[in-house]
Amino acid sequence: MKRPLLLTGTASGVIACAFVLLNSLPGCRPSGTTKSVVTGDAASKVYVKPGTHDEFYNLVSGGFSGQLAVYGLPSGRLLREVPVFSVDPESGYGYSEESKGMLTTSHGFIPWDDSHHPELSQTDGIPDGKWCFINGNNTPRIALVDLGTFRTGSIIEIPNSAGNHSSPFTTGNSEYVVAGTRFSVPMGDDASRDVPIKTYKENFKGNVSFIHPEPETGKMSIAFQIVTPGVNFDLSHAGKGPSEGWFFFSCYNTEQAYSLLEVNASQRDKDFIMAVNWKLAEQLAKDGKGKRVPGKHHSNWWNERTHSSETTVYEDVLQLDPKDHPGLLYFMPCPKSPHGCDVDPTGKYIVGSGKLAALIPVFSFEKMQKAIAANDVEGDFAGIPVLKYESVLHGEVKKPGLGPLHTEFDANGNAYTSFFVSSEIVKWNVEKLEVVDRVPTYYSIGHLCVPGGDSKKPWGKYVIAYNKITKDRYLPTGPELTQSAQLYSIDGDKMELLLDFPTTGEPHYAQAIPAELVKPREVKFFKIEENEHPFAAKGEKETKIERRGKEVHVWMTTIRSHFAPDNIEGVKLGDEVYFHITNLEQDWDVPHGFAIKGAANAELLLMPGETQTLKWVPTRVGVTPMYCTDFCSALHQEMQGYVRVSPANSNVPLTALTVSVDAEM
Amino acid sequence: MRLLKTSLAKVTLVAGFAAITACGDGTASTPPGASGPPGAAAASEEAAPAGLITAAEITLGEIDQAMVEKGKATYDVKCQACHSTGPNRVVGPGWKGVTERRKPEWIMNMMLNIDVMLETDPEAQKGLEECLVRMPNQGLSKDQGREVLEFMRTL
Ligand SMILES: [Cu+2]
């Protein structure tokens, strides 16, 4: 837990008190002294026999790694790290000529991000195993990972946004995923104006974007944005069942502070949950009630036929101003600095989690509708009606713990809330608002996950804690320890710790889904007949080499256990060489690698039937070896070749050689 | 390789490589005969493991030129990288004369059911011992396999 060291004036006194208070509370961790409480035969409950599969996929954000990690549950085994927002030299993602476009934005090529919230696509409010969305906080983007290939299929940039945190939560049929801006910023026509930061109240606006993924292709576009008062949006969830058609966003900094937010944005007793009537917004957008404002952004899409990215650049975006459209937005007061904003499986209740609150408020959708009908408001905030807290409240869970953060649900009417400050998971009954169980976590849990726990149909069985601090749980590795998740059984009356497992990056947020919903979708290889890459060589017969000015293009193939061609001559210093490599294999799990000495970018890892291009600029005269990096067969070490680089003024003819065994010798 | 042919003659293969070109059934080491190689029995009707193509499923008539051409096209994309149409091994055996050495159903099963063959068929296993590279499953349909077989008959 980082605390400020530099404070001025009266603010320091306020913070100092809070600091003492939080750290002197009983149960406040990490203390490093709490012993593991694994009891009984936990090991057998997480043991997955060799040759058998895990029951669930667990899709976990990589946080500052910018990636999405895939674990099996209950074993906690890492199955894959999917490159999303960050380049990946292992596969060439973001380095190959075809994939660079996935990471282009209106700011240029941005090869990293801070990815926070995976969200599974849904059908009828239930995860369907088709896609997993994930956000990039830094240069606001949303990505779609195709669960048929576990690859990034689409990335869209969000204009008029900064710190794309409250995203990408989905509607019940993934009509939309949303993106709320964490920072309010000058936007639209004001975006490029040079304004003083102290004019925050006047010039800074918030907004929430509704992004539509095309059901067939997964191509994403922004359907509309809704402009909001300048606050910070944190998390979000769509309504379901009776609350279908609404979206809820937690927001903080209703003080509209722009400096020392930890003090200045914690002044008010209550911030808000913003309720959005998205069905109405959709209708207004369709009826042409919005306004197109400047907002340049890229939408990148991975074409699995051409094995290449395609980019559409949009110059503007459709915005709806709630001032013109009463009934579009409402605020519900929520104590205090709310983070989580979670809708229970019935869709009747919305749970706010105030990071600085000592209770959990539960709102009733039905009461909210009645309050709207009766105009039961306590006033307005920058023109948006604020409904009366008591009128929309189902009730409060009193003294549940410290620092409530995020709530997920089981299928039996129970909620599980993570408590950052007191490092625990608290189970409580949604109707009765009574705490029924609690377990410690190690340490400073952020988010948690129940399989299907934010959908209409939780599968239950486990709750997984994603911890910010690891301290004494694993072998030390210098000052930095591995990040950590913990698996608990929720089958019985008492939650039971079964397993700690290390994670990559920061396991910020996660989703879990039964493996049976994903496994049948898996792509085993790309059909070579369907390969429409402009430089594909479908068979060794199509391999060739061609000079185009200073560019040398090589159509090359791989198969166990050779490249064709495997010798190239006539490349000159000053040339740019493009290796267009097609993997001719048509079987599951037979990638080939391609690496060349001195390559300044990366290697390639080519899946069966796929074509990718590595650009190589030779820097010296001589013979340069190239080889396969993926151990593909007993003759893998023989999978190699040479490129001869001649001086710029040489007249060595451009030649590609593969010497047939049937050739005359 | 468009530019291949002109540059071939000057290249010398290293001794080690030349020594293993006798691998598999691509050479004359397996005698052709009416009874076929012993391994072919594993693919015969009575002993065939589930899923294997049986002799009864394949009829060979006059060479069908249209099928040969389709087979050749498939060969170019999916087989040529490992099999020459001559006598010598590349990764797998050369195809020249293969239909005289192997029963049609054995060839078809090697193309379409390689995993079962490598598990159950002694001749397939012998080939693997010599080539040391598992024959890739190239995802051929049954029709494509049959067309490739027709192409083999012309070699
Ligand atoms: Cu290889």
Side-chain angles (χ1 to χ4, degrees):
Chain A
M1 287 180 290
K2 289 200 175 91
R3 289 283 146 194
L5 298 174
L6 282 171
L7 288 163
T8 50
T10 51
S12 65
V14 175
I15 278 298
C17 291
F19 184 45
V20 170
L21 177 70
L22 290 178
N23 280 284
S24 62
L25 279 161
C28 178
R29 293 182 190 86
S31 66
T33 56
T34 313
K35 288 287 172 254
S36 162
V37 290
V38 170
T39 53
D41 190 14
S44 72
K45 292 178 183 162
V46 300
Y47 183 66
V48 177
K49 264 189 295 192
T52 58
H53 290 174
D54 275 292
E55 189 184 352
F56 293 95
Y57 283 98
N58 190 197
L59 302 147
V60 184
S61 82
F64 38 69
S65 86
Q67 315 294 49
L68 175 73
V70 184
Y71 301 86
L73 297 179
S75 73
R77 297 180 296 200
L78 175 64
L79 306 177
R80 176 141 297 280
E81 205 177 350
V82 182
V84 183
F85 296 111
S86 298
V87 291
D88 180 39
E90 174 183 318
S91 62
Y93 176 81
Y95 293 102
S96 71
E97 295 305 301
E98 295 83 353
S99 63
K100 281 176 183 172
M102 293 301 285
L103 300 176
T104 61
T105 72
S106 62
H107 301 276
F109 180 72
I110 307 287
W112 70 280
D113 216 307
D114 173 23
S115 65
H116 272 209
H117 310 111
E119 170 88 336
L120 290 161
S121 61
Q122 297 185 359
T123 302
D124 294 329
I126 299 166
D128 54 22
K130 189 174 170 190
W131 298 324
C132 182
F133 303 99
I134 186 166
N135 61 328
N137 264 323
N138 176 64
T139 303
R141 286 176 278 185
I142 303 285
L144 172 157
V145 173
D146 187 326
L147 297 184
T149 55
F150 280 82
R151 287 174 158 206
T152 302
S154 200
I155 293 181
I156 190 167
E157 187 184 3
I158 317 297
N160 301 320
S161 178
N164 172 35
H165 197 271
S166 53
S167 65
F169 299 93
T170 184
T171 50
N173 290 298
S174 292
E175 297 97 334
Y176 300 102
V177 294
V178 298
T181 183
R182 170 181 153 188
F183 303 97
S184 286
V185 285
M187 62 179 62
D189 290 320
D190 291 340
S192 51
R193 270 176 58 207
D194 180 23
V195 299
I197 294 165
K198 69 179 182 191
T199 62
Y200 183 100
K201 281 187 190 177
E202 176 191 336
N203 287 323
F204 289 46
K205 291 279 181 203
N207 86 54
V208 293
S209 304
F210 282 71
I211 297 142
H212 175 66
E214 275 180 30
E216 291 303 317
T217 63
K219 271 184 202 175
M220 293 191 283
S221 58
I222 299 176
F224 52 85
Q225 292 188 321
I226 303 172
V227 184
T228 74
V231 293
N232 290 39
F233 291 103
D234 206 338
L235 282 172
S236 163
H237 264 99
K240 46 176 97 92
S243 53
E244 173 92 44
W246 287 76
F247 231 110
F248 306 94
F249 293 82
S250 57
C251 56
Y252 62 101
N253 191 21
T254 52
E255 296 83 358
Q256 300 189 303
Y258 52 87
S259 175
L260 278 182
L261 260 61
E262 59 196 320
V263 184
N264 294 329
S266 306
Q267 300 297 310
R268 286 166 60 113
D269 189 38
K270 291 192 178 63
D271 291 289
F272 298 127
I273 283 179
M274 181 173 81
V276 180
N277 184 342
W278 71 258
K279 281 281 184 192
L280 174 61
E282 181 182 57
Q283 194 56 50
L284 291 167
K286 272 185 194 154
D287 293 347
K289 298 290 167 65
K291 190 174 122 192
R292 296 213 75 94
V293 302
K296 187 170 180 171
H297 60 286
H298 285 220
S299 177
N300 309 319
W301 180 65
W302 187 254
N303 183 331
E304 271 183 11
R305 292 278 186 130
T306 60
H307 303 282
S308 306
S309 63
E310 294 172 10
T311 292
T312 309
V313 181
Y314 296 93
E315 294 295 333
D316 55 15
V317 63
L318 186 71
Q319 281 193 341
L320 296 166
D321 190 335
K323 282 203 197 90
D324 307 332
H325 306 293
L328 191 57
L329 295 188
Y330 296 93
F331 283 128
M332 301 195 284
C334 181
K336 177 174 187 178
S337 294
H339 184 67
C341 181
D342 302 290
V343 181
D344 85 316
T346 68
K348 286 157 74 175
Y349 301 114
I350 302 114
V351 178
S353 300
K355 292 188 299 271
L356 307 178
L359 54 82
I360 305 173
V362 180
F363 302 94
S364 155
F365 181 75
E366 197 186 335
K367 287 187 174 180
M368 186 190 113
Q369 290 302 303
K370 282 186 184 155
I372 289 171
N375 196 27
D376 195 2
V377 298
E378 62 175 48
D380 75 279
F381 180 79
I384 310 298
V386 180
L387 303 170
K388 272 200 190 120
Y389 181 62
E390 294 73 18
S391 304
V392 293
L393 195 69
H394 165 58
E396 294 169 339
V397 185
K398 304 282 189 194
K399 294 207 175 266
L402 291 177
L405 206 124
H406 172 210
T407 301
E408 297 231 328
F409 306 88
D410 66 18
N412 308 313
N414 297 307
Y416 300 79
T417 302
S418 58
F419 286 84
F420 177 78
V421 179
S422 53
S423 284
E424 58 187 332
I425 297 174
V426 174
K427 175 181 175 181
W428 50 278
N429 183 284
V430 179
E431 277 292 340
K432 294 182 192 151
L433 304 167
E434 283 167 3
V435 171
V436 292
D437 191 23
R438 60 176 70 227
V439 287
T441 60
Y442 311 94
Y443 308 93
S444 296
I445 178 176
H447 287 275
L448 48 66
C449 164
V450 173
D454 65 348
S455 76
K456 262 187 184 170
K457 187 190 151 192
W459 285 280
K461 199 154 179 171
Y462 302 111
V463 63
I464 310 107
Y466 302 96
N467 299 320
K468 305 295 184 198
I469 295 173
T470 305
K471 296 287 188 192
D472 54 356
R473 304 302 287 185
Y474 303 101
L475 280 177
T477 52
E480 188 176 10
L481 300 176
T482 179
Q483 303 278 322
S484 183
Q486 295 187 292
L487 180 76
Y488 299 80
S489 159
I490 56 169
D491 271 346
D493 289 338
K494 301 291 285 176
M495 291 180 279
E496 186 191 351
L497 176 61
L498 301 179
L499 179 73
D500 291 357
F501 64 96
T503 65
T504 65
E506 188 215 350
H508 189 91
Y509 194 94
Q511 297 268 277
I513 183 168
E516 293 313 318
L517 289 178
V518 177
K519 274 156 74 172
R521 313 182 76 93
E522 291 319 284
V523 171
K524 294 193 167 72
F525 56 90
F526 300 105
K527 287 190 182 133
I528 193 93
E529 298 89 336
E530 295 177 358
N531 184 325
E532 292 167 16
H533 190 290
F535 290 93
K538 299 187 197 179
E540 287 189 5
K541 216 181 158 193
E542 295 186 6
T543 59
K544 62 177 173 177
I545 187 162
E546 197 174 291
R547 175 176 289 284
R548 296 180 181 174
K550 290 272 185 198
E551 291 180 3
V552 172
H553 292 266
V554 186
W555 284 251
M556 188 184 272
T557 59
T558 66
I559 198 157
R560 281 164 276 184
S561 35
H562 64 267
F563 294 103
D566 57 3
N567 286 289
I568 294 166
E569 298 197 342
V571 171
K572 291 184 244 179
L573 210 57
D575 285 346
E576 289 180 345
V577 184
Y578 292 84
F579 294 98
H580 309 285
I581 305 181
T582 303
N583 181 353
L584 294 177
E585 307 273 358
Q586 292 287 275
D587 198 0
W588 203 358
D589 196 29
V590 194
H592 288 287
F594 176 79
I596 184 157
K597 185 181 170 186
N601 40 11
E603 63 177 341
L604 293 180
L605 202 56
L606 300 130
M607 297 305 125
E610 183 181 39
T611 304
Q612 289 290 290
T613 303
L614 191 77
K615 178 179 168 180
W616 175 64
V617 185
T619 56
R620 57 187 77 163
V621 168
V623 172
T624 302
M626 56 190 184
Y627 68 101
C628 171
T629 50
D630 191 315
F631 205 108
C632 50
S633 79
L635 298 171
H636 161 72
Q637 284 297 92
E638 283 69 19
M639 194 160 176
Q640 65 176 54
Y642 295 103
V643 181
R644 174 182 164 195
V645 180
S646 303
N649 60 358
S650 90
N651 45 22
V652 177
L654 191 65
T655 323
L657 307 88
T658 301
V659 181
S660 163
V661 291
D662 293 330
E664 258 185 83
M665 289 186 223
Chain B
M1 187 59 47
R2 191 169 293 167
L3 300 162
L4 183 66
K5 296 284 188 287
T6 55
S7 1
L8 289 181
K10 301 269 164 60
V11 182
T12 312
L13 291 175
V14 296
F17 188 52
I20 56 167
T21 52
C23 149
D25 66 348
T27 68
S29 63
T30 312
S35 59
S44 75
E45 269 167 282
E46 60 278 14
L52 285 191
I53 293 158
T54 61
E57 291 174 66
I58 308 166
T59 355
L60 301 183
E62 290 291 299
I63 299 276
D64 179 333
Q65 204 50 45
M67 275 173 77
V68 169
E69 279 179 18
K70 285 187 185 165
K72 168 79 163 63
T74 300
Y75 166 82
D76 284 344
V77 178
K78 295 190 165 185
C79 318
Q80 185 268 337
C82 296
H83 299 277
S84 82
T85 53
N88 293 322
R89 182 180 84 92
V90 180
V91 180
W95 281 4
K96 192 171 176 60
V98 64
T99 52
E100 290 151 35
R101 300 191 300 273
R102 299 290 187 192
K103 286 190 163 182
E105 63 273 23
W106 191 91
I107 295 172
M108 289 282 283
N109 282 318
M110 286 299 281
M111 287 191 278
L112 301 173
N113 298 304
I114 186 64
D115 288 336
V116 182
M117 291 296 275
L118 288 176
E119 249 173 58
T120 61
D121 186 276
E123 280 299 302
Q125 288 161 353
K126 208 173 117 196
L128 177 60
E129 277 172 32
E130 289 167 22
C131 296
L132 292 171
V133 175
R134 283 177 76 92
M135 160 114 170
N137 175 355
Q138 284 295 77
L140 265 57
S141 70
K142 206 168 167 181
D143 285 348
Q144 283 176 314
R146 179 65 189 82
E147 289 154 8
V148 171
L149 175 65
E150 200 70 358
F151 170 60
M152 286 170 164
R153 293 176 71 200
T154 67
L155 300 175

